[in-house]
Structure formats: C-alpha cells, structure tokens
Amino acid sequence: LYFYSAPENFNEEMLRGKRVIVTGASSGIGEQVAYHLARMEAHLLLTARTEAKLQKVVERCLELGAASARYVSGSMEDTTFPAVVVREAENTWGGLDMLILNHIGYSYFNYFNGDVGQVRKLLETNFLSYVAMTVSALPMLKESEGSIVVVSSVAGKIGSPFAASYSATKFALEGFFSSLRHEFIIDKVNVSITLCILGYINTENAVRAISHVIRSTPAPKEECALEIIRSGALRQRELHYPPGAVGSLRYTLFFLSNLQEALK
Ligand SMILES: NC(=O)C1=CN([C@@H]2O[C@H](COP(=O)(O)OP(=O)(O)OC[C@H]3O[C@@H](n4cnc5c(N)ncnc54)[C@H](OP(=O)(O)O)[C@@H]3O)[C@@H](O)[C@H]2O)C=CC1
Ligand SMILES: CC(C)CCC[C@@H](C)[C@H]1CC[C@H]2[C@@H]3C(=O)C=C4C[C@@H](O)CC[C@]4(C)[C@H]3CC[C@]12C
C-alpha cells in the first residue's frame, strides 16, 4: 500500500512550470538534470561553488526553454549556505516544488588515509548540508506537496573498498531520509522522498577518479539525469540506475575477496 498519491506514468509535462532547486548543478549529473528540466520548461535555481560554470549552465538552460533560470554560488561546506539557497527560492518564487540534492565534495578513490578531519568535512558537505537544505525547504514543500530527491550511490548501500569516507556520508543519507520518510507517512505529510542509488556514471570527475582502476564502461550521465527526474516526479522511494548496479558491485566484491583468500 502506498501512502503517497503517486502518478503512474511519467510525462515530461509534469515538470512544466515547476519550481526546482538543483545542487551541484555546475557539472556532471547535476548539470544534465538542469538541461532536462530546462527542456521541460521548469523554473530553475542552480547552485554550486564555481560561478563561471553556473553562468554558462544557466545560459544554456534559457536556450533550452527553461521558464526561468538563475543561480546562487557558494560552498555547502559553509553551514549557513543551505539556508541562503532556499531563501533565494522563497524570495523569487514564493514557493518550491522539487528539491534535488546532488552535490558532493571532493573524495579520493584509495585506502582510507586516517584523516578524521577530512571525514568530518565530507560529512558536512555530503550529508549535513542535505539535512539543512531539507529543513529550510520543508515549509514550502509541505505547502506544494512537493518532492525531495536525494542522489546517493551503490557505495551508500554496500561498503566498497577505497571509498570509506564517501561511503559513510551516503549511508548516512539513507538512514536519515528513510527515517524521515516514515515520519512523513505517520504525520500525513505529503512530501515524497526519492533516494537515487547510482552505479558508475561517466561524469568527468568520476572517470578521472576511477578509470585507471575500474575498466567497466560507465553509464551515460544524460540518461541517468532523466531517470533521476522521472523517479522524483513519480514520487518513487528508490531509483536504481543503471539497473542491477547494487548486484554487480556485490558480485565484484565477492570475487575480489575470494581472490584475496586464495592468495593468502
Ligand atoms: N559519477 C558517478 O559515477 C557517481 C555519482 N554518484 C552521485 O551523483 C552525484 C553527482 O555526481 P557527479 O555528477 O559525478 O559529480 P561531479 O563531481 O561531476 O559534480 C559535483 C558537483 O558538486 C559541486 N560541488 C563540489 N563541491 C562542492 C561544495 N563544497 N559545495 C557545493 N557544491 C559543490 C560541483 O561544483 P563546484 O566544484 O563548482 O562547486 C559540481 O557541480 C553525487 O551525489 C554522487 O555521489 C553516485 C554514484 C556514482
Ligand atoms: C560492478 C563494478 C564494475 C562496479 C563497481 C562500481 C563501484 C566501484 C563504484 C560505483 C560508485 C562509485 C563511487 C561513487 O559513487 C562516486 C565517487 C565520487 C568520486 O568523486 C570518486 C569516486 C567515487 C567514490 C566512486 C568510487 C567507485 C564506486 C564505489
């Protein structure tokens, strides 16, 4: 039984005129999410640190047909920034329909180096800022019966080697947002929460970080971005993209550990 009044079929018109915040929108998956939403004629508020990149993405969004597009630049490491972004939406639109939380801070793909400060910083950027954005945006989302979309990873479901701090921040998202989803159901708060479990996607940063270690072909960021929007609009609890990503990581790790056993 589903509590949320969820539409059955996706139609790009669902996003027309909707007011959407996209974080981490200056590159990678977030940038592609912005372009799809622009095509669908949504109102966009984009954020990330690099103003020059955001300017270009906003320009492109307007060319693609966005109902409106603007940006606020700043770092999610700064604990006051999430409220600044949400206030910008409130001041320009007086409401909000969808919050797409997608940004991440820099993480290396290697053995955990024992730097606790780095873990603390990554928790602030990848996790606590998601909580802060949600808290600030919730009154507007309740009003519109809107949606929260949280971009996570297979590394937020399974502990993969060489991603300890990153993985911790993504597990934290799952704990927080699935608990919150239950509370919304109990309290009859009609705000949907969609957790996106992504496998390896061909963004520049991900390819740079792991292509020397992982030879499998990454999935396309454009299709990934469209799936994220679709699952949010359909108010689904979870998206798995590419399909079976969790299973294939499990499979890979199983053989990895077998190999290590054999070498002992
Ligand atoms: N690509 C992949 O293989 C996978 C990606 N994912 C998830 O998908 C999402 C997007 O990943 P992807 O597109 O690859 O990432 P990218 O590295 O391409 O983009 C990250 C975005 O976050 C912004 N950002 C970085 N640091 C900060 C900060 N301190 N404050 C605010 N914004 C910041 C960046 O812009 P700027 O530098 O201008 O601030 C950029 O717009 C993430 O949640 C990631 O965990 C999950 C599984 C696999
Ligand atoms: C079946 C296998 C071939 C697929 C295994 C895929 C595993 C190893 C893939 C899937 C998700 C991937 C991580 C991810 O989510 C995003 C980032 C952030 C980036 O800045 C640095 C790399 C990092 C940590 C990726 C590391 C590799 C992960 C765990």
Side-chain angles (χ1 to χ4, degrees):
L1 281 178
Y2 289 101
F3 163 73
Y4 300 126
S5 42
E8 263 178 36
N9 295 311
F10 179 68
N11 182 330
E12 299 205 337
E13 276 159 28
M14 286 171 165
L15 278 305
R16 183 178 296 154
K18 291 286 190 270
R19 301 154 297 182
V20 189
I21 295 178
V22 185
T23 73
S26 67
S27 69
I29 297 164
E31 178 184 1
Q32 299 304 318
V33 166
Y35 296 153
H36 281 300
L37 288 168
R39 248 191 335 97
M40 296 171 195
E41 300 173 27
H43 291 279
L44 295 174
L45 175 59
L46 309 181
T47 181
R49 291 169 307 175
T50 320
E51 190 163 4
K53 286 195 203 167
L54 286 169
Q55 252 161 13
K56 285 189 185 150
V57 178
V58 160
E59 255 171 55
R60 182 96 188 93
C61 285
L62 292 169
E63 286 166 16
L64 288 169
S68 72
R70 51 197 294 130
Y71 69 84
V72 213
S73 60
S75 176
M76 292 289 180
E77 255 177 65
D78 170 359
T79 55
T80 62
F81 188 59
V84 171
V85 177
V86 174
R87 204 174 312 125
E88 179 77 16
E90 197 161 14
N91 291 342
T92 43
W93 300 325
L96 179 69
D97 300 292
M98 192 180 266
L99 175 62
I100 303 186
L101 299 169
N102 160 81
H103 65 277
I104 47 167
Y106 174 75
S107 44
Y108 55 92
F109 187 68
N110 212 327
Y111 286 98
F112 175 54
N113 64 10
D115 184 349
V116 182
Q118 190 264 342
V119 183
R120 195 168 282 133
K121 208 167 87 175
L122 209 60
L123 274 168
E124 190 65 57
T125 313
N126 292 9
F127 171 62
L128 292 171
S129 69
Y130 281 46
V131 175
M133 288 289 294
T134 299
V135 169
S136 300
L138 205 51
M140 288 193 285
L141 290 172
K142 281 182 177 170
E143 171 85 33
S144 65
E145 305 203 324
S147 306
I148 301 169
V149 178
V150 176
V151 181
S152 186
S153 163
V154 294
K157 286 275 184 191
I158 304 169
S160 148
F162 311 133
S165 352
Y166 172 81
S167 188
T169 67
K170 295 300 196 184
F171 268 77
L173 288 173
E174 162 111 43
F176 183 84
F177 284 97
S178 52
S179 175
L180 195 65
R181 189 193 288 116
H182 281 292
E183 296 184 2
F184 285 1
I185 293 168
I186 294 167
D187 277 354
K188 300 196 172 12
V189 172
N190 198 5
V191 174
S192 66
I193 297 178
T194 302
L195 190 72
C196 304
I197 307 301
L198 308 182
Y200 182 24
I201 312 297
N202 69 356
T203 65
E204 250 175 69
N205 285 337
V207 170
R208 190 182 310 122
I210 64 175
S211 60
H212 60 290
V213 191
I214 290 161
R215 253 166 309 211
S216 63
T217 315
K221 61 186 178 185
E222 298 80 4
E223 186 182 58
C224 177
L226 187 56
E227 288 303 310
I228 289 171
I229 296 166
R230 179 210 299 270
S231 61
L234 292 180
R235 306 175 82 81
Q236 287 166 359
R237 284 155 199 244
E238 228 168 75
L239 163 72
H240 285 237
Y241 180 88
V246 173
S248 52
L249 178 55
R250 217 172 252 136
Y251 177 89
T252 306
L253 292 174
F254 176 76
F255 284 107
L256 195 69
S257 65
N258 268 4
L259 185 68
Q260 283 162 347
E261 287 298 317
L263 291 173
K264 266 184 189 166

